[in-house]
């Protein structure tokens, strides 16, 4: 049924204070494939506590307010939700360990029509609790497939651009670990869809799928490896659209086009099935 525009737009979130340790930072990095070559000195700073660096897309699992759309008061048909897009801006490096504050709000509620559903964009700003400095801004677009037709709605954010039809300037292939979903779920998302074969089959998949945000992190890994010489502090933005699921153990092929200085467009395919899984990607990288 149509959602209540004002109710969702004015949804109130409590601040989320979250502490994380060096072990948490290392686990996140391992779950997106860093340390795949344990002898690579450029990967080691993300998985070894000596001079530990936090990979920026760890923002995906910090300060998260929880699965609020499942609250009956929201009136959303949560079983038909699809994670549509993820956009992140990285303002400064995360400390290797510490405490953050996540402050969330709804920025857009967009009616696509009674037969097309609705889009809800949630923004989360993540602050360092020690000094209130802004570390990252996370925007998540959720496609509420069964909740359109309410009439009133916001103007959509600017659409992410399609990648060029020309040959990519750079290509990076990274194999995902067969146990990647088992690792990634320990960060923040214990959904059984990613671990229980029977749950996956009931959802229409032949086996558990990889978390979309894990795929997002692997794509960021490929961009940082290819364009930043593994200096992740140079990655300042990463936006993309989720197009298709990935199965753990598949190889992600990330294709990149240098659109202008400091800006790269990208998409990611699964090599084994030649399926685009991340589309309309944009990354910003400082020199």
């Amino acid at each position: 049924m149509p959602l209540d525009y004002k109710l969702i737009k004015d949804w109130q979130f409590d601040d989320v204070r979250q502490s994380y340790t060096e072990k948490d930072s290392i686990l996140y990095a391992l779950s997106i494939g860093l340390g795949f070559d344990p002898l690579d000195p450029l990967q080691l700073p993300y998985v070894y506590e000596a001079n530990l660096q936090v990979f920026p897309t760890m923002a995906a699992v910090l300060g998260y307010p929880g699965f609020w759309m499942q609250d009956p008061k929201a009136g959303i048909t949560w079983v038909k939700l699809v994670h549509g897009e993820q956009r992140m801006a990285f303002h400064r490096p995360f400390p290797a360990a510490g405490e953050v504050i996540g402050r969330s709000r709804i920025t857009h509620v967009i009616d696509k029509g009674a037969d097309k559903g609705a889009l809800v964009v949630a923004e989360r700003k993540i602050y360092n609790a020690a000094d209130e400095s802004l570390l990252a801004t996370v925007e998540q677009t959720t496609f509420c497939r069964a909740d359109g037709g309410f009439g009133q709605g916001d103007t959509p954010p600017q659409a992410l651009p399609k990648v060029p039809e020309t040959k990519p300037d750079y290509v990076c292939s990274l194999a995902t670990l067969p146990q990647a979903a088992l690792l990634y779920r320990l960060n923040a998302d214990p959904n059984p869809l990613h671990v229980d074969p029977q749950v996956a089959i009931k959802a229409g998949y032949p086996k558990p799928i990889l978390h979309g945000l894990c795929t997002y992190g692997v794509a960021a890994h490929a961009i940082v490896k290819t364009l930043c010489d593994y200096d992740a502090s140079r990655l300042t933005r990463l936006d993309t659209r989720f197009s298709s699921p990935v199965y753990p153990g598949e190889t992600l092929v990330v294709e990149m086009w240098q659109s202008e200085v400091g800006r790269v467009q990208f998409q990611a395919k699964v090599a084994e099935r030649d399926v685009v899984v991340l589309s309309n990607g944009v990354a910003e990288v400082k020199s």
Side-chain angles (χ1 to χ4, degrees), residues 23-283:
K23 183 177 179 180
D24 295 320
S25 300
I26 291 170
L27 174 62
Y28 176 80
L30 290 170
S31 70
I32 62 169
L34 286 152
F36 191 88
D37 179 358
L39 299 182
D40 184 348
L42 298 180
Q43 296 186 51
L44 206 56
Y46 300 102
V47 294
Y48 177 38
E49 60 273 16
N51 301 313
L52 181 64
Q53 299 173 33
V54 174
F55 201 79
T57 53
M58 187 175 171
V61 301
L62 294 175
Y64 178 58
F67 191 16
W68 66 273
M69 287 186 172
Q70 197 173 15
D71 187 330
K73 290 183 292 186
I76 293 174
T77 314
W78 63 268
V79 294
K80 293 190 176 182
L81 299 179
V82 173
H83 190 167
E85 292 182 356
Q86 190 77 10
R87 307 188 190 198
M88 290 193 196
F90 310 110
H91 307 296
R92 62 187 67 197
F94 282 81
E99 184 179 23
V100 296
I101 303 171
R103 296 191 175 114
S104 298
R105 67 186 182 107
I106 302 301
T107 59
H108 299 77
V109 181
I110 302 149
D111 187 12
K112 303 291 286 184
D115 58 341
K116 294 183 179 180
L119 299 176
V120 176
V121 183
E123 175 194 81
R124 181 168 83 255
K125 289 186 178 292
I126 304 173
Y127 299 86
N128 187 339
D131 60 7
E132 286 280 339
S133 58
L134 180 60
L135 300 172
T137 301
V138 179
E139 294 182 12
Q140 178 171 320
T141 299
T142 302
F143 181 24
C144 305
R145 293 184 295 164
D147 302 293
F150 49 90
Q152 181 183 14
D154 300 313
T155 301
Q158 183 175 358
L160 295 175
K162 293 183 179 180
V163 298
E165 296 182 0
T166 56
K167 182 179 178 181
D169 298 310
Y170 309 95
V171 178
C172 178
S173 296
L174 292 177
T176 63
L177 300 173
Q179 67 272 33
L182 303 181
L183 287 169
Y184 192 87
R185 69 189 300 270
L186 299 178
N187 293 305
D189 189 349
N191 188 334
L193 175 64
H194 305 293
V195 64
D196 189 326
Q198 295 307 312
V199 172
I201 289 171
K202 288 180 181 178
Y205 301 102
K207 56 186 177 180
I209 62 174
L210 194 59
H211 303 71
L213 286 173
C214 184
T215 302
Y216 176 90
V218 175
H221 175 183
I223 291 168
V224 167
K225 175 182 179 180
T226 305
L227 303 176
C228 305
D229 199 26
Y230 271 117
D231 179 3
S233 67
R234 292 174 54 195
L235 181 66
T236 60
R237 174 171 286 279
L238 190 73
D239 303 340
T240 195
R241 180 177 297 169
F242 296 103
S243 300
S244 191
V246 175
Y247 296 101
E250 292 186 319
T251 301
L252 208 64
V253 180
V254 181
E255 301 174 330
M256 294 161 262
W257 290 261
Q258 191 81 52
S259 57
E260 57 187 80
V261 176
R263 180 181 170 92
V264 177
Q265 291 181 250
F266 71 93
Q267 69 178 11
K269 297 179 178 179
V270 165
E272 292 82 355
R273 293 180 286 123
D274 193 28
V275 173
V276 174
V277 294
L278 298 177
S279 62
N280 300 61
V282 176

